[in-house]
Amino acid sequence: MKKNSIKSTRINGEVRRVLAEIIRSEIKDPRIPQMTSVVAVEVAPDLKTCKAWISVLGDEEEAKNALAGLRSAEGYIRSQLAKQMNLRNTPEIRFIMDQSIAYGVKMSKMIDEVNKE
């Protein structure tokens, strides 16, 4: 399976959708805020591992707590993923904090400041 094949693109999209649903509706950890979203997912071609980029609306402390909460719930999330998806292997999930949205907001503010001057 090539990195950008149709099959891998569909698997990545489906895993992202299911992960977002599990995080939003089934995890009751108070460290994970309601405004936690799955930005992107990359499943390895052998379906053994998966990188999930997570974005949290809030400050840096909330983001760290959310990441810790997701890492502690990895086993449960993986079991729910296995129940909801029919894959040959259920990938081991690694959560990564996505800073691109915060970076974009910061850069936009800097551009606005330069334009005012």
Side-chain angles (χ1 to χ4, degrees):
M1 183 166 64
K2 292 182 217 157
K3 185 171 180 123
N4 293 329
S5 70
I6 294 171
K7 180 180 177 185
S8 69
T9 304
R10 283 206 320 242
I11 288 173
N12 290 341
E14 187 66 16
V15 169
R16 187 182 77 72
R17 186 189 64 76
V18 172
L19 271 180
E21 182 65 30
I22 291 169
I23 290 170
R24 183 176 62 247
S25 63
E26 296 182 24
I27 300 211
K28 305 294 185 229
D29 194 327
R31 295 177 288 183
I32 303 171
Q34 204 62 21
M35 296 302 290
T36 302
S37 61
V38 181
V39 177
V41 168
E42 184 179 304
V43 180
D46 62 356
L47 303 176
K48 299 273 188 196
T49 60
C50 167
K51 294 178 187 175
W53 283 270
I54 305 297
S55 177
V56 176
L57 185 66
D59 61 356
E60 200 169 313
E61 188 64 32
E62 286 181 0
K64 286 181 182 177
N65 288 339
L67 201 55
L70 287 170
R71 286 185 177 148
S72 71
E74 259 179 29
Y76 175 76
I77 293 171
R78 188 174 180 199
S79 69
Q80 291 301 310
L81 188 67
K83 287 178 185 175
Q84 295 182 26
M85 292 190 68
N86 186 17
L87 292 174
R88 184 176 55 235
N89 297 316
T90 303
E92 183 178 321
I93 306 163
R94 195 174 84 198
F95 293 104
I96 303 167
M97 191 54 63
D98 183 41
Q99 301 293 342
S100 64
I101 295 173
Y103 179 74
V105 169
K106 179 182 171 187
M107 292 305 288
S108 179
K109 286 180 182 178
M110 290 172 71
I111 290 170
D112 289 343
E113 287 175 10
V114 169
N115 286 338
K116 284 181 183 177
E117 294 175 358

